[in-house]
Amino acid sequence: MKAIVTLFVSMFLTLASYAEVSNSEKAALIQLNKSTHGESWIIKWDLTAPISTWHGVQLLNDKVVSINLAENNLSGTIPSEIGYLKSLKILNLYKNQITGSIPQTIGDLNSLQTINISFNRLSGAIPSEITYLSALQEIDLFMNFISGNLPNSIGKLSNLQVLSLYNNEITGEIPDSLYDLKQLKILELNSNKLTGNLSDSIVNLSMLENLSLFDNNIHGQVPINIEKLQNLAIMNISYNNFNGFVSKKLAAKDAMSMTMINDKGIAVTLNVHSDKDKALASEE
């Protein structure tokens, strides 16, 4: 009797180890492996083994909920089949050599909370479909070659806390809807090619702790409303084309003391009036 029970348990565990993901999710993983040259990865997948043993893949209730292939020598592109992973919450492809653009099917990942494809070689614009992901809390795409404008509807991401897109080639103005991101704590858009003004509506970002717009082409007056952001601990908006009035308190917040680029391409600082509430921007 004991031998029968032992055999039954053994058979159950064996079957359970293979009762894994759906065919569509498995196909998505295999295509990811193929399109990013899995044969050259540092830690490779054995495609004949159970998916639960594949490096960086986490399953929950036979669904793929996390992919972490950071620093694993991925190259090639992200396949459109990534959209089959409907239960995916975390996609971490940090610091690889991935090229091409972010597929539009990223918008099919309804459960996605974190996407990190930083330190790669991505190009093209951020697809507007990313704004469909209402559960998204963190977007890290810094240190790539991403171009185009920020999605106009980015304000739909009501749960977003981190938007880190620095060191890319993003153009255009900051969309008005971005100021609707009430949960945003980190906004890093520095070292891009952004233009236009910084809206007074930035005061709506009441949770903001880090504001980095350094090294862009943003112009106009620095919104004094930034002073009202009580949680703001880190700010660098220098090396833009800001001008006009700025308070002593606001100037003190900036990491580079409001050093701007004038119309002659020369770095100048904004003079601050001794009155803490008044300052006139002028060139020295």
Side-chain angles (χ1 to χ4, degrees):
M1 183 64 180
K2 183 177 180 180
I4 295 174
V5 171
T6 301
L7 179 62
F8 175 80
V9 171
S10 177
M11 290 176 62
F12 175 80
L13 292 175
T14 300
L15 289 172
S17 68
Y18 285 92
E20 293 185 313
V21 305
S22 66
N23 289 335
S24 61
E25 288 198 345
K26 183 173 183 179
L29 293 174
I30 291 174
Q31 189 59 38
L32 176 63
N33 180 268
K34 180 180 178 181
S35 64
T36 57
H37 303 141
E39 70 279 1
S40 299
W41 291 2
I42 295 173
I43 303 177
K44 301 174 178 61
W45 286 349
D46 179 356
L47 300 182
T48 65
I51 294 174
S52 57
T53 67
W54 294 5
H55 168 70
V57 178
Q58 182 179 346
L59 304 181
L60 180 64
N61 298 326
D62 299 333
K63 301 289 185 180
V64 179
V65 295
S66 177
I67 297 175
N68 185 349
L69 296 172
E71 300 183 75
N72 200 39
N73 199 40
L74 278 68
S75 57
T77 60
I78 301 172
S80 60
E81 288 85 354
I82 197 79
Y84 295 161
L85 302 173
K86 305 295 185 182
S87 299
L88 192 66
K89 294 183 178 181
I90 298 172
L91 177 62
N92 186 355
L93 305 177
Y94 168 80
K95 207 170 186 180
N96 284 290
Q97 301 176 54
I98 299 170
T99 56
S101 58
I102 301 171
Q104 294 179 343
T105 53
I106 200 79
D108 296 332
L109 303 179
N110 297 324
S111 300
L112 198 64
Q113 297 175 0
T114 298
I115 177 171
N116 187 344
I117 320 179
S118 302
F119 264 102
N120 278 280
R121 299 176 183 176
L122 293 173
S123 58
I126 299 172
S128 60
E129 287 80 3
I130 202 170
T131 65
Y132 301 163
L133 307 180
S134 58
L136 206 53
Q137 298 176 16
E138 183 168 348
I139 300 176
D140 294 302
L141 300 174
F142 56 85
M143 298 296 291
N144 277 288
F145 300 99
I146 295 171
S147 58
N149 296 350
L150 293 172
N152 285 328
S153 53
I154 197 166
K156 291 181 179 179
L157 301 176
S158 58
N159 291 301
L160 196 65
Q161 298 179 25
V162 177
L163 181 60
S164 187
L165 307 176
Y166 63 85
N167 280 86
N168 278 290
E169 299 176 2
I170 299 170
T171 55
E173 301 184 10
I174 296 174
D176 289 339
S177 73
L178 185 142
Y179 303 110
D180 295 331
L181 299 175
K182 302 294 179 62
Q183 301 302 314
L184 198 64
K185 296 180 179 180
I186 297 175
L187 178 60
E188 296 176 322
L189 302 177
N190 51 288
S191 299
N192 279 286
K193 299 178 180 178
L194 293 169
T195 57
N197 298 316
L198 183 61
S199 172
D200 286 334
S201 298
I202 194 167
V203 71
N204 296 335
L205 306 181
S206 58
M207 302 295 290
L208 200 63
E209 300 172 359
N210 183 343
L211 172 63
S212 184
L213 302 176
F214 169 83
D215 188 24
N216 279 286
N217 299 307
I218 304 172
H219 57 263
Q221 188 166 331
V222 178
I224 196 170
N225 276 347
I226 295 177
E227 291 185 10
K228 298 178 181 179
L229 299 177
Q230 298 299 317
N231 294 305
L232 190 63
I234 301 172
M235 183 178 82
N236 190 346
I237 62 174
S238 288
Y239 281 82
N240 279 283
N241 307 125
F242 286 117
N243 54 48
F245 294 92
V246 63
S247 71
K248 183 177 181 180
K249 180 179 179 180
L250 198 54
K253 279 182 172 287
D254 189 73
M256 299 187 71
S257 303
M258 297 289 183
T259 301
M260 302 300 164
I261 303 296
N262 67 10
D263 56 3
K264 298 177 183 178
I266 300 173
V268 297
T269 56
L270 304 186
N271 282 343
V272 180
H273 194 277
S274 58
D275 185 332
K276 66 181 179 65
D277 293 322
K278 293 182 181 179
L280 179 64
S282 62
E283 297 176 11
E284 296 182 323

